[in-house]
Amino acid sequence: MSIDFHNYVLLSQALSYNTRKYRCENSLSKRTSFLNGFALLLNGSNVCTVVYPWLKEKVILIARNEKLENVDRYYFDQFFSLIRVYSSMFWNVDRTDNQNDTFDDIKDILINLVNNFNQEKIMKRLFDYLFDDAVKQLLQVTKIDDNEKQQIINSVNTNVGIYIKNKSTTEYACLMKENMTVENYISFLLARVERLIELRDIIKKSRKNPLHSDIRKLQNNALLLYESTIFKILIVKDPRVYYYIDKISAHMRALNGLLKCFEQDQARYAYIYREIKWRIINPHERCVLLNNGPTNVFRMLWSNLFPDIDPEETVNNVLAPNLNKQYDISKTLDVCVHCELLLIDYLLKNQINEIEGQLDVEIGISKMSCYLCSLYIAELNKEHKRIFCLSDSTHGKVYQKWDFIPDEQQHLKQNVERVVIEQIEKYLNDIQLDQKQSGVKHIGDSDTLDIVGEINDVDTKYVLSLMKKDQL
């Protein structure tokens, strides 16, 4: 690795060039969804959280970019205590009605605990200005007239068998289990949209101190819409709307997914989690020298590519507006090892190698990995002949404070650095082409919508209980 690696990272972040965003669907197994949901519930308002279940020790390894606060430790203790109680109850085959009521009580406590701890993140997703267009389109759904509604009903009646085939959908719960007519079901879905908008407005008015019951009801309505194929295909066709519904229902879906796994797969989940503990992996931060500084490194790259063209126009119009000048002045940068790398490093150094199925190491993560982490993990897979399946996905963004695992082998660092430089050079060639054709043009960050949720399996019994317990 060269002395200018972190300058290259700063340039990558400042230039916001487009990198490929992808998720490998084959890796999103039931266990991966379970672990992703677990990580999301432990994340709170933090940037990212990763988890790995060390089965031999019956402990969940947890890593974050930031140091753990006292409020996190308190929440983890409470959350894991409830998970242990909930899991252990599935070993009593002859459960009484009172014990079934206890299940519901524990679930209620868990929902309130999760929502309270994750409230800042939930509220941020609910009112993020980036979703303004999605909210406007939801408002339009509430204005669907009788003719439009009848068209949807006719379309469903023509292919009703398709919509009730999947037992993990709102359609199956309502049309099959509740024996709703298609007309009543479409009215039910439209009512869910109206109720969601209504609850959003109520929560917005009391944003500093919203009622937990209102947040929970909003999540329930969003969950029912998210799990509805008809809503996705026939009522709202814009993926941005479905992405919004995905985000605001994610915590509720994650918790439902966890609890459903304990109930349906006792041998794999309940047996382990009735004794589960947690262990934090400490973050790693440091300050690095930038030596030449990002702007000078940009000039050097430009001069190597275009020795006869002055780089200053591009520096001033493309780089400068997106780069903090302080980095060229102080020549220092605070960096950290991202949490998924911290966890992988821990597994490697402690020789933890618990193979399950075809995937070697399934790690749960609260959001997709960044572009540099995906590159690095791919190199670690090849080097250690492991399959850290986090390399299967990335949101494609580059973060300036990124760092390697401490004491990493130089050839792995060089492999990652080479790809980073190639990406910058490709971008500079594109910039030069744009200058020739129509002047300088800054290609902004393109974060394509990812509509793959953390948990993609609704509990039919839960859907029915929402309808009967006035939780909407």
Side-chain angles (χ1 to χ4, degrees):
M1 183 182 76
S2 72
I3 61 173
D4 284 320
F5 172 76
H6 290 285
N7 285 312
Y8 296 136
V9 174
L10 281 170
L11 291 178
S12 298
Q13 193 274 338
L15 295 173
S16 296
Y17 58 74
N18 294 321
T19 57
R20 184 185 173 204
K21 172 179 178 171
Y22 61 94
R23 183 195 289 271
C24 179
E25 297 295 342
N26 292 333
S27 71
L28 201 65
S29 65
K30 180 179 179 180
R31 186 168 184 261
T32 304
S33 291
F34 174 88
L35 294 175
N36 285 350
F38 214 112
L40 179 69
L41 298 177
L42 298 179
N43 189 56
S45 59
N46 294 277
V47 175
C48 186
T49 299
V50 295
V51 299
Y52 175 81
W54 191 355
L55 302 181
K56 179 182 177 182
E57 298 293 324
K58 295 184 180 178
V59 62
I60 295 288
L61 299 174
I62 307 170
R64 283 186 182 165
N65 298 0
E66 310 88 355
K67 292 181 180 179
L68 214 62
E69 303 291 341
N70 288 334
V71 66
D72 300 316
R73 296 181 184 278
Y74 176 79
Y75 170 72
F76 288 0
D77 286 340
Q78 295 294 310
F79 181 81
F80 277 81
S81 175
L82 289 168
I83 290 297
R84 287 193 294 269
V85 173
Y86 193 90
S87 303
S88 63
M89 292 179 68
F90 283 104
W91 292 95
N92 185 350
V93 179
D94 301 319
R95 291 198 299 269
T96 65
D97 290 339
N98 288 336
Q99 286 174 315
N100 286 328
D101 291 340
T102 302
F103 273 104
D104 293 336
D105 292 340
I106 294 175
K107 186 168 185 176
D108 286 341
I109 296 171
L110 270 169
I111 290 173
N112 290 332
L113 181 70
V114 166
N115 279 345
N116 185 57
F117 180 70
N118 292 282
Q119 182 171 307
E120 183 178 339
K121 178 75 75 174
I122 293 169
M123 296 291 282
K124 181 179 179 181
R125 290 178 168 187
L126 186 57
F127 298 108
D128 193 327
Y129 73 94
L130 295 174
F131 292 125
D132 285 350
D133 286 342
V135 174
K136 289 178 182 177
Q137 291 199 50
L138 278 174
L139 283 169
Q140 292 301 313
V141 171
T142 64
K143 300 175 183 179
I144 288 178
D145 59 29
D146 290 340
N147 288 333
E148 292 175 293
K149 180 179 176 181
Q150 190 59 50
Q151 289 176 6
I152 296 171
I153 293 171
N154 293 340
S155 179
V156 174
N157 278 325
T158 303
N159 300 289
V160 68
I162 296 175
Y163 297 110
I164 61 176
K165 186 176 181 180
N166 186 350
K167 294 183 179 181
S168 296
T169 61
T170 310
E171 281 78 25
Y172 182 84
C174 294
L175 296 176
M176 291 294 291
K177 293 297 183 179
E178 282 294 288
N179 293 316
M180 279 188 185
T181 65
V182 172
E183 183 175 359
N184 288 341
Y185 177 62
I186 298 303
S187 297
F188 172 80
L189 284 181
L190 295 177
R192 302 285 61 78
V193 177
E194 291 182 5
R195 182 63 171 148
L196 189 152
I197 294 295
E198 178 188 7
L199 287 165
R200 185 180 184 274
D201 290 339
I202 292 172
I203 295 169
K204 190 173 185 179
K205 291 177 182 178
S206 58
R207 191 166 177 176
K208 292 184 178 180
N209 191 28
L211 294 176
H212 287 169
S213 59
D214 288 336
I215 294 176
R216 179 173 176 176
K217 288 178 180 179
L218 182 142
Q219 291 173 317
N220 288 337
N221 282 279
L223 180 149
L224 295 179
L225 293 172
Y226 179 85
E227 301 294 355
S228 168
T229 306
I230 291 173
F231 174 77
K232 177 182 177 181
I233 296 176
L234 297 180
I235 298 178
V236 177
K237 300 177 183 179
D238 191 326
R240 291 175 296 178
V241 177
Y242 194 64
Y243 184 63
Y244 180 60
I245 299 298
D246 171 357
K247 288 300 180 184
I248 63 177
S249 66
H251 290 84
M252 186 65 75
R253 289 186 291 113
L255 182 57
N256 283 337
L258 259 65
L259 301 184
K260 186 177 179 181
C261 285
F262 296 144
E263 179 180 356
Q264 293 187 346
D265 198 344
Q266 298 172 20
R268 174 182 289 184
Y269 293 103
Y271 174 74
I272 296 294
Y273 285 84
R274 66 194 177 121
E275 299 178 14
I276 202 69
K277 303 180 290 294
W278 65 272
R279 182 182 304 172
I280 194 72
I281 298 171
N282 292 324
H284 186 274
E285 302 171 311
R286 66 180 180 131
C287 183
V288 296
L289 296 176
L290 295 175
N291 296 294
N292 293 309
T295 301
N296 283 334
V297 170
F298 179 90
R299 291 189 179 103
M300 287 187 285
L301 287 172
W302 184 274
S303 297
N304 288 336
L305 291 171
F306 318 110
D308 299 326
I309 303 175
D310 189 344
E312 294 312 306
E313 181 182 4
T314 306
V315 169
N316 294 330
N317 294 339
V318 176
L319 181 63
N322 301 290
L323 179 68
N324 190 333
K325 295 180 180 178
Q326 186 61 34
Y327 296 129
D328 284 312
I329 299 172
S330 67
K331 301 288 182 69
T332 60
L333 176 67
D334 293 325
V335 297
C336 70
V337 180
H338 283 193
C339 53
E340 53 265 59
L341 303 180
L342 287 170
L343 184 51
I344 290 173
D345 185 46
Y346 187 93
L347 297 177
L348 290 172
K349 288 181 177 176
N350 289 276
Q351 298 181 339
I352 300 172
N353 188 10
E354 297 180 324
I355 297 176
E356 178 163 332
Q358 295 181 346
L359 290 175
D360 189 353
V361 186
E362 289 184 285
I363 296 172
I365 188 165
S366 61
K367 61 183 286 188
M368 287 194 291
S369 297
C370 73
Y371 180 62
L372 295 181
C373 281
S374 70
L375 292 178
Y376 189 15
I377 294 171
E379 291 296 326
L380 291 171
N381 283 343
K382 289 186 288 186
E383 180 70 17
H384 298 283
K385 296 180 175 57
R386 305 283 292 276
I387 304 177
F388 298 106
C389 60
L390 282 172
S391 64
D392 287 338
S393 64
T394 175
H395 54 58
K397 294 179 181 177
V398 176
Y399 295 111
Q400 60 191 29
K401 295 186 177 183
W402 189 90
D403 199 12
F404 287 101
I405 292 171
D407 304 319
E408 186 55 272
Q409 300 177 73
Q410 281 298 318
H411 72 277
L412 297 182
K413 294 180 179 181
Q414 290 167 356
N415 290 343
V416 173
E417 182 180 47
R418 183 180 65 255
V419 177
V420 172
I421 294 173
E422 288 173 353
Q423 287 283 355
I424 296 174
E425 290 178 340
K426 181 180 181 301
Y427 177 80
L428 295 183
N429 276 297
D430 292 341
I431 285 287
Q432 178 58 19
L433 180 62
D434 287 336
Q435 286 178 331
K436 289 180 180 179
Q437 294 178 347
S438 58
V440 175
K441 181 173 66 176
H442 179 223
I443 302 175
D445 179 45
S446 176
D447 186 14
T448 308
L449 296 180
D450 171 39
I451 60 174
V452 179
E454 290 86 354
I455 298 292
N456 292 305
D457 196 10
V458 69
D459 188 341
T460 300
K461 290 190 296 184
Y462 181 67
V463 171
L464 298 176
S465 70
L466 291 181
M467 298 165 63
K468 296 176 180 177
K469 292 184 178 181
D470 191 29
Q471 290 296 314
L472 300 174

